[in-house]
Amino acid sequence: MLGLGAWGFGGPVALVGYMYRDLVERRNWFTEADYKEGLALAQLMPGPLAAQLAIYLGFVRYRLPGATLIGLAFVLPSFVMVVALGAAYKAFGGLAWMQAVFYGVGACAIGIISISAYKLTVKNVGKDKLLWGICAVSATVTFVTQSEELWLFIGSGVLVWLLRAPPKWATGGKLRSVAAPVVGFFALNGLDWERLAQIGRYFAYAGTFVFGSGLAIVPFLYSGVVKEYAWLTDLQFVDAVAVAMITPGPVVITTGFIGFLVSGFWGAVVAAIATFLPCFLLTVIPAPYFKKYGKAPALVAFVDGVTAAAIGAIIGAVAVIGQRSISDGVTACMAVGTAAVLLRFKKLPEPVVVFVAALSGLAIYPWVQAR
């Protein structure tokens, strides 16, 4: 897992594929059943898919020590990389060469996120009219408000649950009695904390409630990091997403980069721990019981609704972030070109596309500035 975290490019789908090839097929360290159960649990729970599968496999063999060691080994290499990149970004961000690199990479990142949103929609929403409705509403709300609303995520999950696998109490008059506690829970968002406490709370929040692939966290982070707290500018946020694209390991390690920009090294540490600790707990705690309850209709329906809302938020975020990072005809062509290339060449590694975009930025940015 230490090695996979160091060279595993390609996003969550590629990473879980590497695990199957290396751990099930080649080494026979895990059975097919172990792998499938871990993948199902990772898909049902919020948090980064690949990291949760790795943690589950560690738990299968060596329980809590195995899960802990595997989780640290998988995340540590990419964390070190984003901290180093964060230091370079803060130190040299004003230099023309770094501005040129991110001029190209930022536009490329929009194309990559667009394709990811498309693939997630096809895979998880399909032809389901209810999920399409939720997805459309979530995309519209995200675009109009330029933020991600957690109530929409939870509400979508509850809606699909009540419509497709309603509990007995929902058919009577007890439904209204749970409304007040839920409203009270969301009222806690207004608490004021010091900077590190804010970082820890916010990223723990993201790690606990964001479903889907690694990129599902992008709109959630945008709403808080840029809109609510104003820790980063729009362009800095796009750069943070781009850093996640060019480094191996889980995409959500971008939280470490953001934490570093906001509050230095300890900000990166707090952000990374706060993001990954919920996914660790949400993998280890239910793991022993997953075989018995993992396919419960109510749970599956709830996750379907939340996932549809998450995909809609990604689509809305593409439009919102694209307005900032696509500043001229050149960046628009680069974003569209990236999406077209990834659609045409499905096995092309994303880091290769980002590297080409970085070189293009170095070549084109001076010409654009001179105009």
Side-chain angles (χ1 to χ4, degrees), residues 78-103:
S78 53
F79 174 76
V80 173
M81 292 179 197
V82 297
V83 167
L85 287 171
Y89 186 88
K90 292 186 74 172
F92 306 115
L95 296 182
W97 68 268
M98 184 163 279
Q99 293 177 348
V101 166
F102 282 103
Y103 174 80

Side-chain angles (χ1 to χ4, degrees), residues 114-300:
S114 299
I115 294 301
S116 297
Y118 168 75
K119 291 180 179 178
L120 286 169
T121 303
V122 171
K123 180 180 179 181
N124 293 284
V125 178
K127 298 180 179 179
D128 191 308
K129 294 182 180 179
L130 175 61
L131 298 185
W132 264 111
I134 292 173
C135 183
V137 170
S138 179
T140 303
V141 170
T142 301
F143 179 74
V144 172
T145 65
Q146 298 191 3
S147 63
E148 187 178 76
E149 304 293 341
L150 180 61
W151 62 264
L152 186 60
F153 274 41
I154 303 299
S156 298
V158 172
L159 175 63
V160 177
W161 167 41
L162 293 178
L163 290 178
R164 294 187 172 173
K168 293 181 179 179
W169 54 263
T171 59
K174 299 180 180 179
L175 190 57
R176 295 181 181 178
S177 64
V178 301
V182 171
V183 172
F185 171 78
F186 290 118
L188 296 176
N189 291 342
L191 294 177
D192 185 27
W193 297 80
E194 296 296 328
R195 178 61 58 86
L196 281 178
Q198 281 184 327
I199 292 173
R201 181 176 66 89
Y202 184 74
F203 287 111
Y205 204 45
T208 303
F209 291 104
V210 175
F211 289 76
S213 75
L215 286 173
I217 202 172
V218 170
F220 194 100
L221 294 182
Y222 179 80
S223 66
V225 170
V226 178
K227 302 297 293 183
E228 182 178 354
Y229 295 111
W231 288 334
L232 301 183
T233 65
D234 289 298
L235 291 179
Q236 285 177 321
F237 182 79
V238 173
D239 292 346
V241 176
V243 164
M245 301 294 180
I246 63 176
T247 52
V251 174
V252 294
I253 199 61
T254 187
T255 58
F257 183 83
I258 293 171
F260 189 93
L261 296 188
V262 175
S263 196
F265 174 74
W266 290 111
V269 172
V270 170
I273 291 176
T275 302
F276 285 96
L277 183 59
C279 91
F280 175 81
L281 296 176
L282 290 172
T283 302
V284 171
I285 293 174
Y289 311 100
F290 184 68
K291 286 186 179 181
K292 185 176 181 180
Y293 300 107
K295 296 181 181 179
L299 183 59
V300 173

Side-chain angles (χ1 to χ4, degrees), residues 1-9 13-32 35 53-54 57 61 74:
M1 288 300 175
L2 188 68
L4 185 60
W7 55 257
F9 290 94
V13 175
L15 290 172
V16 299
Y18 296 147
M19 291 182 204
Y20 181 81
R21 180 195 65 191
D22 296 335
L23 304 180
V24 179
E25 291 185 330
R26 293 184 178 178
R27 293 181 171 87
N28 294 315
W29 287 351
F30 298 93
T31 66
E32 186 93 17
Y35 178 85
L53 176 57
L57 294 177
R61 289 296 293 268
F74 185 63

